[in-house]
Amino acid sequence: MRRCGPTQELDETPGPGLRRRGTMTDARGDAPLMETGIDPATLGDDDLFRELASLYRARLATLRHGPDAALSNHFKRTAELETEYITRYPSREVDPDRLTQDF
């Protein structure tokens, strides 16, 4: 097996790690993987928040020291996860103390 990420593996031979037409799944075989990870739409809220937190922790190191491909994947994954968050919480609370100007 080949590692696809911290918790994902891909079978090199057809089986539970591969779906028809080559769509990868996570190690359990139940969540489809996107090019940069598990499809955010299939994540529960806790998993989505955990993925976002992990991504933000790795951000500076990826920006400063990662190769171009890693930075590109980071941008894509950030967009995927943040878009899913905004889709789920379009009316999220905005802390007025965080505003820098009146909107």
Side-chain angles (χ1 to χ4, degrees):
M1 283 194 205
R2 176 168 49 111
R3 300 287 294 168
C4 296
T7 60
Q8 298 113 11
E9 295 179 346
L10 171 66
D11 272 335
E12 299 291 10
T13 58
L18 292 176
R19 289 191 176 184
R20 292 184 340 149
R21 296 192 312 216
T23 301
M24 293 183 292
T25 61
D26 68 356
R28 294 179 308 256
D30 58 359
L33 291 175
M34 299 181 72
E35 182 178 324
T36 55
I38 296 173
D39 182 356
T42 67
L43 296 172
D45 286 348
D46 289 342
D47 292 329
L48 178 62
F49 297 138
R50 187 186 67 248
E51 289 288 317
L52 282 165
S54 176
L55 189 78
Y56 297 145
R57 279 192 307 272
R59 180 74 181 139
L60 184 58
T62 304
L63 179 62
R64 293 187 64 208
H65 307 293
D68 290 344
L71 188 57
S72 177
N73 283 340
H74 200 82
F75 285 145
K76 289 176 191 172
R77 188 63 173 165
T78 300
E80 293 166 358
L81 292 169
E82 289 180 346
T83 298
E84 181 61 26
Y85 178 83
I86 296 300
T87 299
R88 292 183 193 189
Y89 301 100
S91 299
R92 68 193 192 287
E93 287 186 36
V94 175
D95 182 351
D97 293 333
R98 303 235 359 145
L99 298 176
T100 58
Q101 61 187 25
D102 291 329
F103 288 96

